[in-house]
Amino acid sequence: MALLPILCYPDPRLTTVAKPVQAVDARIRQLVADMLETMYDANGIGLAATQVDTHERIIVIDVSEERNRPLVLVNPEIVWASEEKQLNDEGCLSVPGIYDGVERSIAVKVSALDENGQPRTLEAEGILAVCIQHEMDHLLGKVFVEYLSPLKRNRIKTKMLKVRRETERA
């Protein structure tokens, strides 16, 4: 396994729409293992392949307290989302240190393939539903800050660019 570099907003590669995985093979299983290791190392609860500059429809999630129940969704599709929505504070490994409110459905039903290429359907609510929607946005080339006002988004962009410049100088 290997730690993968995580793209940081406003990297334009984060806006790339992910393509469907053609076959769940050894390459995809290795990518999933690397993504899980990267997510756990960064103390995240979710990671989309887009965030590690691989533009295929793969997300990994683990919202368990023990950090021992990884969920792998290949080619995920939300087949149902509740009309009832809730505002939740969200953060993102691609926008480190930034948290803000995003309104999302409180429950979703997702169909996908697992890490072995087997079809699965999952009903989720609470933090898992929020995380699935957040990571699926990444597959569509959307970062959570796009739900915020233009003023907030520009402030975040400016801050992230400043952090990148300081990191490059160090």
Side-chain angles (χ1 to χ4, degrees), residues 70-90:
L71 173 65
V72 176
L73 300 173
V74 177
N75 294 336
E77 297 294 335
I78 293 178
V79 294
W80 174 84
S82 66
E83 288 185 25
E84 186 178 351
K85 297 190 186 293
Q86 184 174 338
L87 188 67
N88 300 288
D89 242 14
E90 289 187 25

Side-chain angles (χ1 to χ4, degrees), residues 4 14 19 22 29 37 41 44 48 50 60-61 66 74 80 98 100 113 118 125 145 147 161-163 166-167:
L4 304 170
L14 288 168
K19 305 226 178 313
Q22 297 305 312
R29 284 189 288 278
E37 183 179 0
D41 183 72
T50 301
V60 297
I61 294 172
E66 304 80 25
V74 177
W80 174 84
I98 304 293
D100 213 317
L113 300 176
Q118 298 302 307
E125 57 186 27
V145 297
Y147 289 100
L161 289 170
K162 180 180 178 192
V163 167
E166 289 170 357
T167 304

Side-chain angles (χ1 to χ4, degrees), residues 25-41:
D25 54 17
R27 180 184 68 83
I28 295 297
R29 284 189 288 278
Q30 182 62 56
L31 175 61
V32 164
D34 292 346
M35 287 174 63
L36 284 165
E37 183 179 0
T38 301
M39 177 189 74
Y40 288 130
D41 183 72

Side-chain angles (χ1 to χ4, degrees), residues 7-61:
L7 300 178
C8 283
Y9 180 80
D11 192 305
R13 293 171 289 182
L14 288 168
T15 64
T16 304
V17 176
K19 305 226 178 313
V21 171
Q22 297 305 312
V24 179
D25 54 17
R27 180 184 68 83
I28 295 297
R29 284 189 288 278
Q30 182 62 56
L31 175 61
V32 164
D34 292 346
M35 287 174 63
L36 284 165
E37 183 179 0
T38 301
M39 177 189 74
Y40 288 130
D41 183 72
N43 291 317
I45 60 171
L47 186 67
T50 301
Q51 293 174 273
V52 293
D53 201 20
T54 301
H55 304 286
E56 294 179 273
R57 294 185 58 79
I58 303 168
I59 60 177
V60 297
I61 294 172

Side-chain angles (χ1 to χ4, degrees), residues 134-154:
H134 175 107
E135 299 308 330
M136 290 198 53
D137 274 352
H138 280 299
L139 300 181
L140 298 172
K142 189 171 188 175
V143 179
F144 89 97
V145 297
E146 293 176 44
Y147 289 100
L148 308 177
S149 71
L151 177 63
K152 279 187 178 180
R153 196 169 45 245
N154 283 332

